[in-house]
Amino acid sequence: MSTGVSWGRWPRYDQRLIPITNRYQPLPPAGPMLVFGNGRSYGDVCLNAEGTLLTTRSLDRFISFDAASGVLECEAGVLLSEIIALTLPRGWLPAVTPGTALVTVGGAIANDVHGKNHHRAGSFGNHLLGFELRRSSGETLRCAPDQHADWFAATIGGLGLTGMISTARLQLRRVPGEWIAGDSQRFDNLQEFFALAAQSDAAYEYTVAWLDCTASGGKLGRGVFIRGNHVQHDARPPRARSLRLPLTPPLSPVTGLSVRLFNELYFHRPAAQQARALWHYQPFLFPLDRLLDWNRLYGPRGFFQYQCLLPGTEAATALPEMLRRVARSRQASFLVVLKQFGNLPSLGLLSFARPGVTLALDFPNRGEPTLQLLESLDVITRAAGGAVYPAKDARMAAQSFQQYFPAWRQLQDYIDPKFSSSFWRRVTRSW
Amino acid sequence: MQRILIVGATSAIAEATARLFACRGDALFLAGRSIERLQAIAEDLKVRGAKLADTFVHDARDFERIPALLRTAIEHLGGLDAALIAHGTLSDQTACQSSVEQLREDFDVNALSVMALCTNLANQLESQGHGVIAVISSVAGDRGRRSNYVYASAKAAVTAFTSGLRQRLYPLGIRVVTIKPGLVSTPMTATFKKGALWAMPASVAADIVRAMDSGKAVIYTPWFWRPIMWIIRSAPETLFRRLRL
């Protein structure tokens, strides 16, 4: 059941939860309201302090699926994992999947999520054939690239503010099966990363890199580059084994020492250098889903994720600066992901993905020092003309947001008068 | 492939159960009050693999229409192997205490309509000589408590009725399954504060399918309600009447 807590488990607010259990149910009369799907966005884009959350996990019905064309229509509370369970046996996958399959379709649209194939496929909205948008006025808008096109663009990456997405039509992608073949290799610095990305993006559907953010000096920017393609392979899938973290440890085991140790081991483990690797799609595409509720690892105070985009021309200088800053802060991060985005334009007015390199880092919430570190990263991102991903954010300054997303004023014309979020109120403050 | 009639098909437990039937390719006939909700569920079940998912608008209080419901279901399904009766409302105990009209209405929905359906179904299955009738009762029916004794006594009637019906039909090879869910997180209970005892509809649904397949007599779902209700049933009145449950 819905909790009204986001993935970073910070901040926490009092909110009124109203379940939406069928797509004909009228919206409540009083705002401000906001849709809350499966709570996988990290910060406060899915929160609404002192307001109402419309919880939509029960909007989980399929409407139609054509196994010949790969067109799927469903309600917006369906999880990508539920789509995959239905369509992969018949050779189809959602065209874009983020690092967890436990997100709702509505959330994937509202945050215009991206995945390891961004360089080829763009983001989630690029494969969206249409959706229905319920407004608090009682009106229902059918939106598609050629129907209410302005509402279509405003709602993709629109952070749930334009109304409630009730149903969506997706174009899925043909895949030969459940397996992914490719390789993994260590790189010693960022130049090597850029070279690998440039050389791999044409031949590989998926490319992603893990980075050792505790490394400094001569080791700065070392990591592991992973790439792969779907292949036909007849092996039996491994038994699905997900562990669940049953409770929140009172003290987080994520400390400078444990992170340094983890990164050292991760870099040197044999699997970091494999000329021929074969992965089942689940650990490859959704590594985060192997340990359910892993966000509890960060303890009762929760954690922050910082995901930024740096334009291609600036990345070569801004990235090392950022990594040095993180290494120096000793607030190390377990999961550092680096990915070169492609040039396919996102369709959303406020979409995050754009050409450049994206870096994602996790930080335990240690209060003021963590906030200061993140602000200092924003200084670098702002100077580089980059952006920070709203889906992961709980703290960026209004000034930063308004520079990162200059189209935010245009979005205001499309926001439902009874919809709002804690995030939106925070980042649209005047400064 | 089983041919299954589901009454109260828009309830969360019924829908979750229907999905399990759909995944194995059963043919389903769905009865409920709201045509648009029935159709949304039918579409979903077809995508998930149901051989057939047809709908019928039916108000449980309309006893006269039960023969038509059964006739149409059998026509569409080409026969009938099982029926799941899942409709019900959660009585407003306070309203029932001050209004006999309300009390009667709740009994009509939660008790009499179920017995009427069972009566018609039993005669149908008796004539064909096979089948399963599964009825959703409740742990609440095991003993009346001040907070919900109207709902509880309607469910107690259902439990007793299905027990007798089970004996009557047993020699004919027809199974009657009494299902007693505990606290389940559904729209019917949306306003309750949830704790560790609460179950999700999907896990209750899995128990229902297992019980219908094996022809069990009475199931508690989740299982731990069996010992809990044993304790509650065993408490002597001298103690029980003092409790504020």
Side-chain angles (χ1 to χ4, degrees):
Chain A
M1 277 281 112
S2 289
T3 53
V5 177
S6 67
W7 195 242
R9 298 164 63 82
W10 189 92
R12 296 189 183 222
Y13 295 126
D14 274 336
Q15 303 157 109
R16 193 163 62 114
L17 271 54
I18 298 185
I20 303 289
T21 55
N22 72 76
R23 59 182 186 262
Y24 304 102
Q25 186 177 329
L27 299 182
M33 59 185 109
L34 182 73
V35 168
F36 184 97
N38 207 34
R40 252 49 182 196
S41 47
Y42 286 65
D44 55 358
V45 289
C46 62
L47 303 181
N48 196 9
E50 312 296 323
T52 297
L53 289 182
L54 310 173
T55 60
T56 53
R57 264 297 284 136
S58 299
L59 286 187
D60 63 347
R61 297 172 193 94
F62 294 109
I63 297 169
S64 64
F65 173 54
D66 180 353
S69 65
V71 174
L72 174 104
E73 187 170 14
C74 63
E75 293 181 345
V78 171
L79 299 181
L80 296 190
S81 61
E82 294 168 338
I83 294 180
I84 293 168
L86 175 80
T87 62
L88 187 56
R90 287 182 259 181
W92 297 95
L93 263 189
V96 166
T97 49
T100 166
L102 303 176
V103 300
T104 63
V105 168
I109 297 170
N111 293 293
D112 197 14
V113 300
H114 55 267
K116 298 174 179 60
N117 62 354
H118 183 274
H119 58 285
R120 287 205 172 171
S123 48
F124 199 81
N126 292 91
H127 308 273
L128 191 56
L129 300 173
F131 54 81
E132 258 185 28
L133 185 67
R134 300 263 312 274
R135 303 269 296 174
S136 64
S137 59
E139 205 182 351
T140 298
L141 293 177
R142 297 189 70 93
C143 306
D146 57 357
Q147 196 179 10
H148 294 304
D150 52 338
W151 288 92
F152 188 70
T155 302
I156 295 174
L159 307 176
L161 297 164
T162 59
M164 183 180 90
I165 303 166
S166 57
T167 68
R169 260 158 57 84
L170 313 176
Q171 176 62 59
L172 307 183
R173 179 169 48 102
R174 249 282 173 232
V175 292
E178 298 190 13
W179 296 86
I180 291 165
D183 57 32
S184 59
Q185 46 196 307
R186 296 188 187 101
F187 54 87
D188 290 322
N189 53 54
L190 291 169
Q191 286 75 14
E192 283 182 35
F193 163 79
F194 285 115
L196 276 168
Q199 142 209 350
S200 309
D201 281 359
Y204 290 90
E205 169 83 25
Y206 301 115
T207 65
V208 71
W210 164 85
L211 211 62
D212 179 356
C213 76
T214 58
S216 54
K219 292 176 179 170
L220 187 84
R222 72 175 185 178
V224 178
F225 195 90
I226 298 157
R227 55 191 188 179
N229 284 314
H230 282 279
V231 288
Q232 162 109 51
H233 180 67
D234 286 332
R236 287 235 320 245
R239 250 186 66 214
R241 242 184 340 181
S242 299
L243 298 174
R244 182 181 293 276
L245 200 67
L247 43 83
T248 307
L251 280 178
S252 169
V254 183
T255 65
L257 184 69
S258 66
V259 170
R260 186 170 293 272
L261 198 66
F262 173 85
N263 279 276
E264 196 68 34
L265 289 171
Y266 196 93
F267 185 78
H268 287 293
R269 82 205 156 105
Q273 189 79 38
Q274 279 179 291
R276 291 187 58 184
L278 185 67
W279 295 278
H280 188 248
Y281 80 96
Q282 268 172 335
F284 185 89
L285 289 180
F286 309 118
L288 300 181
D289 296 345
R290 292 161 93 180
L291 181 61
L292 298 174
D293 293 340
W294 61 264
N295 53 342
R296 291 174 161 179
L297 264 181
Y298 286 96
R301 298 176 73 184
F303 73 108
F304 293 101
Q305 179 154 113
Y306 187 81
Q307 182 172 355
C308 63
L309 171 125
L310 301 165
T313 46
E314 306 294 324
T317 50
L319 256 182
E321 199 184 334
M322 222 170 241
L323 292 178
R324 271 193 297 271
R325 166 79 57 174
V326 172
R328 213 167 46 219
S329 76
R330 306 206 156 266
Q331 300 196 49
S333 164
F334 254 118
L335 293 161
V336 182
V337 177
L338 192 61
K339 158 86 193 155
Q340 176 102 52
F341 277 159
N343 294 322
L344 195 61
S346 300
L347 301 182
L349 207 51
L350 247 60
S351 289
F352 164 70
R354 47 194 98 169
V357 180
T358 185
L359 173 75
L361 309 132
D362 286 351
F363 298 99
N365 178 10
R366 299 209 177 103
E368 203 46 43
T370 312
L371 291 169
Q372 277 168 12
L373 169 66
L374 296 176
E375 179 53 33
S376 73
L377 299 181
D378 261 351
V379 171
I380 302 172
T381 305
R382 281 201 301 266
V388 165
Y389 193 11
K392 307 267 178 91
D393 180 72
R395 38 62 51 190
M396 76 169 113
Q399 182 185 358
S400 302
F401 173 78
Q402 294 171 21
Q403 184 193 320
Y404 299 150
F405 297 91
W408 73 276
R409 280 182 202 282
Q410 281 159 268
L411 184 70
Q412 280 185 316
D413 296 340
Y414 296 92
I415 294 179
D416 188 299
K418 289 190 178 170
F419 277 59
S420 181
S421 69
S422 290
F423 175 86
W424 193 250
R425 292 190 289 274
R426 175 165 64 79
V427 300
T428 55
R429 274 198 290 252
S430 45
W431 46 279
Chain B
M1 185 211 52
Q2 296 266 304
R3 296 161 298 182
I4 304 171
L5 162 68
I6 303 180
V7 183
T10 56
S11 91
I13 293 178
E15 187 177 0
T17 312
R19 286 184 183 179
L20 300 178
F21 291 141
C23 285
R24 61 187 202 191
D26 290 345
L28 305 170
F29 192 80
L30 314 170
R33 275 180 303 172
S34 157
I35 181 65
E36 52 187 19
R37 292 181 57 199
L38 282 173
Q39 275 167 355
I41 292 168
E43 281 168 351
D44 173 72
L45 295 174
K46 275 185 269 192
V47 174
R48 290 175 194 268
K51 183 97 185 259
L52 179 99
D54 284 353
T55 60
F56 188 91
V57 177
H58 178 72
D59 188 317
R61 290 165 298 189
D62 194 351
F63 297 178
E64 252 99 87
R65 254 168 74 82
I66 293 174
L69 164 65
L70 294 190
R71 211 172 36 245
T72 318
I74 288 165
E75 249 172 56
H76 283 238
L77 294 170
L80 186 65
D81 301 308
L84 172 65
I85 302 177
H87 68 273
T89 61
L90 190 65
S91 310
D92 179 341
Q93 175 65 28
T94 333
C96 290
Q97 278 169 216
S98 53
S99 156
V100 173
E101 202 43 50
Q102 184 71 47
L103 167 71
R104 173 180 267 166
E105 197 162 302
D106 282 27
F107 246 74
D108 272 353
V109 174
N110 286 333
L112 270 179
S113 74
V114 176
M115 299 180 199
L117 264 165
C118 283
T119 303
N120 282 271
L121 271 167
N123 297 339
Q124 170 63 35
L125 297 186
E126 199 170 27
S127 69
Q128 70 184 41
H130 75 276
V132 177
I133 304 175
V135 181
I136 299 191
S137 181
S138 170
V139 295
D142 279 17
R143 194 162 192 181
R145 295 170 296 123
R146 58 186 278 159
S147 59
N148 71 348
Y149 61 82
V150 173
Y151 179 77
S153 51
K155 290 300 192 182
V158 168
T159 298
F161 187 93
T162 49
S163 166
L165 191 65
R166 182 162 38 248
Q167 284 195 336
R168 173 185 146 198
L169 298 177
Y170 183 79
L172 306 170
I174 296 160
R175 299 288 172 254
V176 178
V177 185
T178 310
I179 296 151
K180 297 183 180 178
L183 300 167
V184 187
S185 186
T186 68
M188 189 174 94
T189 56
T191 55
F192 287 54
K193 241 186 118 146
K194 311 283 193 296
L197 291 178
W198 287 79
M200 296 303 289
S203 70
V204 169
D207 286 347
I208 293 176
V209 171
R210 220 173 297 125
M212 287 176 72
D213 285 347
S214 62
K216 268 217 179 98
V218 180
I219 65 155
Y220 287 79
T221 169
W223 62 270
F224 54 75
W225 285 98
R226 191 180 286 274
I228 293 175
M229 294 319 292
W230 181 82
I231 294 167
I232 289 182
R233 278 198 316 274
S234 318
E237 276 299 340
T238 47
L239 167 70
F240 198 73
R241 67 183 179 185
R242 289 184 167 82
L243 300 179
R244 305 174 65 89
L245 286 171

